[in-house]
Every structure is written in structure tokens, then in C-alpha cells.
Amino acid sequence: MRHTATRRPKASRGSSVRIAGNTIEDHGAFKRSSLHRAFVARTCRNGGRDGQRTTVTPTTGPGRWPQIIPDTLDLDACAREPIHIPGSIQPHGHLLAVELESLRLVHASAHAGAVLNQPLADAFGQPIDRLIDADSMPSLLRSLHAAPPEPVQIGILRLPGCSDHQAIAHRSGALAILELEHLASAGAGTLEALYPQMREAIRHIQASHDFETLLARTAEKAQALTGFDRALVYRFDAQWNGTVIAEAGNGRLPSYRGLRFPASDIPEQARRLYILNRLRLIADARYLPVPILAADEDCDPLDLSFSVLRSVSPVHLEYMRNMGTPASMSISVMDGERLWGLISCHHAEPRQVSFAVRTACDLLAQVMSSQMIALERAEDANHRIRSKSIQARLLAHMAASERFIDGLADNRDDLLELVNADGAAILFDGNCRLIGRTPPQPVVEAIAAELAGRGIKDLFFSHRLPTEMQATEGTDATASGLLAISISQLHPSYLLWFRPELVRSIDWAGDPAKAADASGRLSPRSSFEIWKETVRGQSLPWRHGEVEAAGDFRTAIVSIVLRKAEEMAALNEELRRSNGELAAFSYSVSHDLRAPFRHVSSYAELLRSRAADKLGERERHYLDSIIEAASSAGRLVDGLLHFSQLGRAPLAQVDVDIGRLVKEVRHLLEPELRDHRVNWTLHRLPTVTGDPTMLRLVVQNLLSNAIKYSRDRSVPKIEVGCSTTSDAYEIYVRDNGRGFDMAYAGKLFGVFQRLHREEEFEGIGIGLANVRRIVERHGGRVWAESELGQGATFHFSLPRPDAAKSR
């Protein structure tokens, strides 16, 4: 990073600068030294943040070192700060970095000269065993050679004429980092001494059978182990906001239990570091950072990710001071590889605890994590057993129903209990079934359309649906939460579960949106007073077990749908084959029967014409019956032959003016009117694409039926019109004739189906079957509406040519 170094006024000649226990009486001489150049290069490279003005100040007096004073604290820059390479440490210890192979000193904290046997400026490049006089050096050297990536305690370093230090080592790349921490006056110095207390703490934690007890005991034991005034268990949510869910303390600090802290309080790079290094201690938030110097000023910054003395961001130090907690310690709580939360300890005054105590707290957090996972798995297992039982009942009902969707919809309680929902909707095969508390059907259909538009082919869930789908605006009371599964791999079909709005009040530790102080400077929050937020438009979040149960249920339903589809495809194939055989058979039979019936009719008529005078009245009646029966059978055979040919003949695709076709057929049918005056109403009709001969037959059959069944009216009325949908023309023929009972509407379009006696109305009952076959071959459909004695309306639809082009 680039930073501006601004110097305060020169120190007067004769003032001293003391670095690492070495006093340079002449400040000018210090400025000309390589030690100063390395110090400025390192601190300016690592000590500030992007765009931040930094002051490097030489200080006078024993025990002081040059300070890095940021002129402003920029939170945006803090979020980008490379906190793993701060270039400085906290002052309650010393840091030495040596090459793993040679153990030569390459980095050192600025006041590490206090533990070396020669000035720091001369120490770089020398093996560390020449720099430290201690009886324990042989074992210390062996530990440095074998240093692991994470810090370990390698002994107590006792130096002549100097206080004792706890030696902690870890490996960082090709370097071994040795940290010499002042021995803490509080707490046991070894894990052996802590064992009785730890054993009791772990026993209590493992005996916890619910989350609340587990978290409360963990906070209590952490506070007792460390002696801090307050210990918090802090859990992250999906947005990385943190909530204090357990707390133990002695009353010296205010309670934060139940308060929520915004994600910006612990930026992303800090969370990453918490995953790498589970322990962090700040003994005194008022400390001045001690810079790290290097033998080579052009070398890369020292990675302090696992350092126990690593200096922290000035922004965080100000945050701690604003909170009124000069000392803090954090222990990461992991759920596998995910950062679940923190155990955070605070003290009202500076406090340093031993490395052994911190390690014990880390073990405590790991035991808590293991117990937490065990409780979660037990709860998930119980939920899974319940959901599998519900799922089995639903699937049994679905299997027993003729339409499996009916079996699903008829078991409302189980369907809703499966995922703890208040309402559900089933959209399948063009139908929508609503169950329980749901939005109106148009909104439900709009939600399904949006899911299909997004390409959701498996599962979708949200507990803040109004912010994610515009179609649900205004339906918070029924649809703030949605859990949806696709139940077909062939068509856009969904099973939707809904949850209503759950109005909640969140207690924040200060206004989460307020980041600027009175002067407008971006800074850490200075107030932690409770700030209440009312959350609307959200439901109770869907639990992992509920989402998993929905996913399992989807797999089962899709299997049923696919099996039904496969069965239907097999039936359709069999039906197609049977229909083909039947069509061939009917064609063959009708063709073969035409000649015999014609012969019977012809010979009977010939006999009547030549021998009528020789026959009695009864014999002539018999002969007339034979002629009539043969003629009727011949018409049936002709109709059957025509019906078979309609299914086999190729379709011509040309433009057909339906209006013109109606006029031509009307003129053709005038002989059937039998001097009846019909009141015709012909509306504007479209031009369609199809086979003109077949469509003429459709119009002829429908108009002929309208004339036939309305001729007993004093004034027969026939109306022909059309309505238009987005993809089809729907043409209708309406009359005021005899009509029919809608209970028999399903029989109308079958072969040889009649709703009236032949004596009342002539015909063989095959005309409407021809209409249906022709229309369906054109990609349309037919249907009829009627009220007995009030006439009938016959509809047929044909695809719109422009709709086909747009698709």
C-alpha cells in the first residue's frame, strides 16, 4: 500500500531515541542509520490503510519507540486492511523470526533487544543461539526446527537479569517465528495445573442436553477460567450479523445478552483470520504497536496470521475503547469448516492471561462445538424420523388415489405438517389446488410462473419472499415465506408451501446504520445502547431439516410422476396401435360390406318393381322393410368408411376463409330447410390454415345439425361467430333448437352416438365424431354447451397462424 509519512517537528539535537533497548543519543544519527530506514520502510508499507495519512513520530524517553499515528480511521479501508501482515505486534512480548534451516535472525520486533545479548542493529543475520543466553536454548532450538504451523508452547525462557518469558513458536513458510510473551501474573502457567478445572468444566458441558444449557455453561466456564469480567457466546447468522445468545459475568460490565451486532463489526477478512487462528488476545487496547524490523528492507511483510502477539487494526482498538473494555479475548467456535460464532471475553481494565489458559479455552470451545453438533444431529434425526413418517402416509394416500394429486390434497394436515407451513398450493396438469392459508389463486399462479421463468427445476425457499418476487406484493400475511418444489420433470408443475409474516423486534447494540460521528468522519460506533428495529415482510426461516424433508418428498413425487408418465406413454402407444388396427379393420369391413348391402337393396327394389302386383300387402311390407334396412346399413357403412378415411387422409395446409365457407355451406343446405325461414346471424369469421375439404365437412355437419334440431321452432335461429384467445380462434354455432342434457355431453362426439330417437331426427350418429377427428387433426378441440329445450352451442378451436409464428 502507498502511504504518506508526515514527520512532526525535528527533535532537538541531544534528544534520544531508544529502539529495542538501544539508545541513540543523536536523533540525526538514528535517521541516517539502516535501522531507521528499515523501520520507516516497514511501517509505511504495513502500518496504515489505503488513502490514509500516517504520522511517523520519534519519541523520547526510555522504553518508548517511534509511533505510527493514523490521522483518521477509515472503516471502508479497515474492511480492506490486510490484518495478517500488520507489520507490528502488541507490546506484552517480543517477536523473533529466523530461517528454518540456519536459524539466522531475519525479523525482530523493535524492542527485542531487551532479550538479546547484543544491539538489535547488529543481531540480524546471526544464528539465534548466539543472541540469547539461556540454559534452555538446546531444547528451544530443537522445537524451532520442528515448529508446527499453529503456535505451541515450547517452554519458559529464563534470561539473566531479565524477567521470564513464555516461549511460543510456529512455522510461517520458510521461517520459524519465536514469540516471547511476558509471563502473565493471572492464571495457571501450564495445562497440567489447569487439568482439574478443565475436567470439571468439560464434564458439565458434555452433560448439557439442550442448546440453552450448553451455551450458558460454556460462557460460565470460560469466564471462570479466564477471570475476565464478562464472557459472551456470540453466534453469526446467514448475513454474518452476530447475536449474543449466552453470557456470564460478575456485574462490572453491562449485559449484552440478546443484543445483535452488525456484520460490519467483524469484517470479512477478520472472520477469515478467526477461521485460521482460533485464539486472539488483546491485553490492553490502549497499547502502542511495536514495529517489526527486517534485515532486508525489501523483503516481503511477515505473515502474522498465527502470531499470538499480532497487532490489531487501530479501528478495532478504538471500537474496544468505545465499548469500555480495555482487554478482550476471542475464541473461535467452529462447525466443521464454518465459523459458527465466538466466545468473547471482556475486562474492564487491562488483563493478560497465560497461553495455557487461552489453550484451555480453545479446548473448551471445541468441546462445546462437538456437543452442539451432537445435539443438532439428534434433533435433525428426530425431525427426519417424523418427516419420513408423514411422507410415508402422504405417499400411501397418493398411491391409493386414482389421481395422485387428489391423494396429496385430501391430506391437508400431513401436507402442512411436513414442513411446518400454514398453507400450500398444488399446481399440476393445468389445475391449481389451494390448501390452508394461501395468497389468492392468481398470485399463486404468478409465483409458479416466475419459478418456471427462473428455471427452478428442483427446490426454492425464502423467508423474505416480498422482497424477492414482485408478484407477492401485498400478500405478507399469507406469503412472506415460500418453500417450493418442482414435482414434474416434464412440465412446469409445483408444490408450494407458504408461511405468514412474523413481525419481530431486534435489539441492536447501537444503530447498525450509523457509521459516522458528529463531524461526519467515518468511525467505529461509539454507542452500544439498545436500538430496536421492527422487522416486517419476513416469515419464520425454513430450517435445514424442513428444506431437506421437502427435497426428499420431491424425489418421491417425481418418481411417481415419471412412473405415471411412463405408464401413460405405454398406454398411449398401445392405444395408438389398437386405433391403427381398428381403423384398418373398419376400413376393410366397411369397404367389403358396401357391395353386399347395395346388392340386397338393388335386388329388393328390382323385385318390388317387377312383382309388386303378384305380392300381397304383407309381402310388400316385408319387401319395403328389407329395402329400408339395407339402405340404412349402407349409409352406416358409408359413414364408417368416411370416418376411417378422415384419420388416414393427408392434411392440406392452405389459407381457408371460414366466413366464405359458412356462406357456401349455408347455400348448399337450403334444401334441408323445407320451406322454414331461418333467422341467420353471421359474425365476422377468421381466415385459418387447414384442409379446406375437411373444414367444409366440419361446418356442414354443425350447420346441418343446427337446422335439423331447430326446425320445430316457429322461428329457427342460428348464429355463427368467433372469439379470439392468445393462441387460437374459437368458432361457435349456436341454435335455439331442442338442446340436450349436459349429463350426456361426453357422448356427443363418439361414433354412432345419438341423444334422440331416430324417428324424431334422421342421421346415423357419426357426424360429430367426424367433426372431432378433423378438428383434433388440425391441433384444436371441440366442446358443446346446452340447456334442454333452450338450444345448444357447439364450439371448435383452431390454432392462430400468427401465434404459431411467434412461438
Side-chain angles (χ1 to χ4, degrees):
M1 299 181 183
R2 297 181 63 85
H3 305 281
T4 304
T6 305
R7 298 184 181 85
R8 299 267 177 100
K10 282 186 178 181
S12 60
R13 183 173 295 274
S15 63
S16 64
V17 176
R18 184 176 178 85
I19 297 184
N22 301 281
T23 301
I24 301 176
E25 296 297 337
D26 185 349
H27 178 250
F30 167 70
K31 288 178 63 180
R32 293 190 296 272
S33 70
S34 61
L35 190 58
H36 173 265
R37 288 195 302 273
F39 165 70
V40 172
R42 181 65 57 227
T43 55
C44 289
R45 187 181 308 165
N46 303 316
R49 275 145 302 282
D50 290 343
Q52 181 174 319
R53 192 173 181 82
T54 304
T55 302
V56 180
T57 307
T59 59
T60 59
R64 303 294 299 276
W65 53 87
Q67 303 173 33
I68 308 164
I69 303 175
D71 296 336
T72 62
L73 290 174
D74 184 341
L75 288 185
D76 286 339
C78 176
R80 302 187 303 270
E81 182 181 3
I83 56 176
H84 63 297
I85 48 171
S88 57
I89 63 169
Q90 299 179 55
H92 59 277
H94 311 281
L95 182 143
L96 303 170
V98 299
E99 296 173 342
L100 272 173
E101 296 299 325
S102 64
L103 295 184
R104 296 180 183 276
L105 184 66
V106 292
H107 294 272
S109 55
H111 61 347
V115 296
L116 303 179
N117 56 20
Q118 55 185 286
L120 183 57
D122 300 328
F124 286 117
Q126 295 194 47
I128 195 170
D129 56 344
R130 298 182 186 175
L131 301 175
I132 296 178
D133 298 325
D135 295 337
S136 58
M137 276 306 295
S139 63
L140 185 144
L141 292 176
R142 287 193 299 271
S143 299
L144 279 179
H145 274 298
E150 295 188 14
V152 292
Q153 179 175 312
I154 60 174
I156 303 297
L157 190 65
R158 292 184 169 86
L159 301 172
C162 186
S163 60
D164 295 339
H165 293 77
Q166 174 68 66
I168 302 161
H170 74 277
R171 186 176 72 252
S172 177
L175 302 178
I177 296 180
L178 174 64
E179 295 175 89
L180 303 177
E181 193 175 81
H182 298 312
L183 282 180
S185 57
T190 64
L191 285 172
E192 288 82 356
L194 286 169
Y195 176 73
Q197 192 176 358
M198 279 297 300
R199 181 182 57 193
E200 188 68 11
I202 290 173
R203 187 179 66 82
H204 277 82
I205 290 175
Q206 289 179 330
S208 303
H209 297 296
D210 59 79
F211 281 103
E212 187 174 352
T213 303
L214 170 66
L215 301 175
R217 287 179 176 175
T218 301
E220 175 189 334
K221 300 305 177 184
Q223 195 263 339
L225 269 174
T226 62
F228 276 81
D229 292 328
R230 179 179 66 201
L232 313 171
V233 178
Y234 180 96
R235 181 176 188 171
F236 293 112
D237 63 18
Q239 289 73 43
W240 295 108
N241 302 308
T243 303
V244 177
I245 55 178
E247 180 182 81
N250 56 19
R252 290 185 68 194
L253 292 174
S255 173
Y256 282 173
R257 181 177 172 82
L259 295 187
R260 179 176 293 194
F261 293 77
S264 58
D265 281 13
I266 303 179
E268 181 183 358
Q269 84 276 29
R271 296 193 297 268
R272 287 199 302 268
L273 201 52
Y274 276 126
I275 294 173
L276 287 175
N277 188 354
R278 297 188 301 270
L279 286 170
R280 191 204 63 191
L281 171 70
I282 301 175
D284 186 353
R286 299 166 298 185
Y287 76 85
L288 297 175
V290 181
I292 297 174
L293 308 180
D296 181 0
E297 61 184 70
D298 295 324
C299 66
D300 292 333
L302 190 60
D303 187 345
L304 299 184
S305 295
F306 291 96
S307 168
V308 299
L309 293 172
R310 176 179 59 85
S311 185
V312 300
S313 168
V315 175
H316 183 70
L317 294 177
E318 183 173 342
Y319 182 93
M320 288 181 58
R321 292 192 291 269
N322 293 345
M323 189 185 280
T325 54
S328 77
M329 186 178 79
S330 299
I331 308 106
S332 303
V333 179
M334 305 297 294
D335 182 359
E337 299 297 319
R338 181 178 66 91
L339 181 63
W340 179 90
L342 301 171
I343 299 173
S344 188
C345 304
H346 302 123
H347 208 61
E349 58 192 27
R351 180 174 181 80
Q352 182 186 346
V353 293
S354 69
F355 184 77
V357 169
R358 280 137 50 198
T359 303
C361 287
D362 180 35
L363 178 59
L364 207 65
Q366 293 184 55
V367 172
M368 169 192 153
S369 176
S370 298
Q371 187 69 8
M372 180 177 68
I373 292 172
L375 289 175
E376 285 182 345
R377 286 178 178 171
E379 187 174 345
D380 287 345
N382 290 334
H383 183 273
R384 193 175 295 112
I385 292 171
R386 290 195 303 271
S387 67
K388 288 293 184 184
S389 175
I390 295 171
Q391 186 182 128
R393 292 199 298 269
L394 287 170
L395 292 174
H397 285 296
M398 291 166 65
S401 300
E402 183 176 346
R403 296 179 71 252
F404 75 93
I405 291 300
D406 294 336
L408 188 59
D410 292 343
N411 290 273
R412 163 184 171 146
D413 293 342
D414 279 346
L415 181 60
L416 299 181
E417 187 183 351
L418 181 65
V419 295
N420 190 27
D422 284 38
I426 308 169
L427 297 101
F428 185 81
D429 200 19
N431 297 315
C432 178
R433 303 277 293 273
L434 302 181
I435 300 147
R437 295 181 60 195
T438 68
Q441 182 169 329
V443 175
V444 171
E445 290 173 344
I447 291 172
E450 183 158 345
L451 291 173
R454 294 186 185 185
I456 303 297
K457 295 182 179 179
D458 41 27
L459 187 145
F460 171 87
F461 64 96
S462 169
H463 68 281
R464 45 168 68 91
L465 191 63
T467 65
E468 298 182 22
M469 284 192 184
Q470 190 173 359
T472 60
E473 185 176 353
T475 61
D476 299 14
T478 54
S480 286
L482 171 67
L483 174 53
I485 57 173
S486 170
I487 56 175
S488 174
Q489 293 182 346
L490 306 174
H491 309 286
S493 303
Y494 293 96
L495 172 54
L496 312 178
W497 286 282
F498 297 100
R499 278 181 178 171
E501 177 184 44
L502 179 66
V503 180
R504 294 180 297 138
S505 180
I506 297 177
D507 293 336
W508 291 92
D511 184 351
K514 188 175 181 182
D517 59 19
S519 67
R521 182 176 70 99
L522 198 64
S523 65
R525 288 182 294 111
S526 58
S527 172
F528 293 85
E529 293 183 1
I530 295 177
W531 189 87
K532 289 187 177 292
E533 177 190 16
T534 300
V535 178
R536 307 192 67 96
Q538 297 185 15
S539 71
L540 182 72
W542 303 97
R543 295 174 50 191
H544 171 73
E546 293 163 347
V547 175
E548 187 181 63
D552 291 344
F553 194 45
R554 174 190 175 272
T555 301
I557 294 179
V558 168
S559 297
I560 292 175
V561 172
L562 288 176
R563 188 170 66 251
K564 292 283 187 182
E566 290 171 357
E567 292 173 357
M568 189 64 69
L571 288 173
N572 285 338
E573 178 61 25
E574 179 64 21
L575 185 60
R576 186 191 64 78
R577 187 185 61 79
S578 299
N579 283 340
E581 292 176 353
L582 181 60
F585 173 76
S586 63
Y587 178 81
S588 176
V589 169
S590 59
H591 184 272
D592 293 344
L593 287 177
R594 289 179 76 188
F597 281 128
R598 284 178 180 175
H599 288 159
V600 170
S601 179
S602 297
Y603 282 116
E605 288 178 355
L606 183 61
L607 178 62
R608 184 175 60 180
S609 65
R610 292 186 177 183
D613 55 341
K614 298 177 182 179
L615 298 176
E617 184 178 348
R618 179 175 292 182
E619 286 80 4
R620 286 197 297 270
H621 174 71
Y622 292 158
L623 192 58
D624 289 341
S625 297
I626 292 171
I627 292 171
E628 185 179 350
S631 298
S632 178
R635 288 195 301 272
L636 284 173
V637 169
D638 287 343
L640 183 59
L641 182 61
H642 193 198
F643 182 76
S644 299
Q645 289 172 334
L646 287 176
R648 299 158 66 93
L651 279 180
Q653 294 290 336
V654 298
D655 289 341
V656 180
D657 185 342
I658 299 295
R660 181 178 178 182
L661 200 59
V662 168
K663 291 177 182 177
E664 292 175 355
V665 171
R666 174 187 167 188
H667 178 71
L668 181 68
L669 295 176
E670 282 182 357
E672 297 185 15
L673 297 180
R674 300 178 183 177
D675 298 327
H676 286 79
R677 183 176 178 82
V678 175
N679 185 354
W680 291 91
T681 302
L682 303 181
H683 298 286
R684 186 175 180 179
L685 297 169
T687 296
V688 301
T689 299
D691 188 300
T693 303
M694 290 189 180
L695 292 179
R696 177 183 292 274
L697 185 58
V698 169
V699 173
Q700 184 172 330
N701 272 292
L702 294 179
L703 291 184
S704 177
N705 280 351
I707 292 171
K708 178 168 57 177
Y709 290 106
S710 62
R711 67 188 176 202
D712 59 352
R713 299 302 190 204
S714 57
V715 181
K717 296 179 180 180
I718 299 175
E719 178 184 353
V720 184
C722 176
S723 61
T724 305
T725 66
S726 60
D727 56 1
Y729 295 117
E730 295 182 351
I731 301 163
Y732 63 88
V733 176
R734 181 176 293 126
D735 64 64
N736 65 339
R738 182 73 63 89
F740 59 86
D741 189 337
M742 284 296 291
Y744 302 102
K747 298 175 60 178
L748 278 174
F749 299 96
V751 181
F752 303 134
Q753 296 293 328
R754 298 177 56 89
L755 301 185
H756 303 89
R757 292 193 306 273
E758 189 173 358
E759 292 79 7
E760 294 182 280
F761 299 100
E762 71 278 7
I764 60 173
I766 204 168
L768 290 180
N770 285 334
V771 168
R772 178 179 182 177
R773 172 162 285 195
I774 292 169
V775 170
E776 288 182 347
R777 288 198 65 192
H778 281 77
R781 65 188 184 96
V782 292
W783 68 100
E785 301 165 342
S786 179
E787 186 176 343
L788 196 61
Q790 300 296 319
T793 304
F794 285 80
H795 304 262
F796 68 95
S797 68
L798 295 171
R800 289 175 53 185
D802 54 343
K805 290 176 183 176
S806 65
R807 289 195 294 269

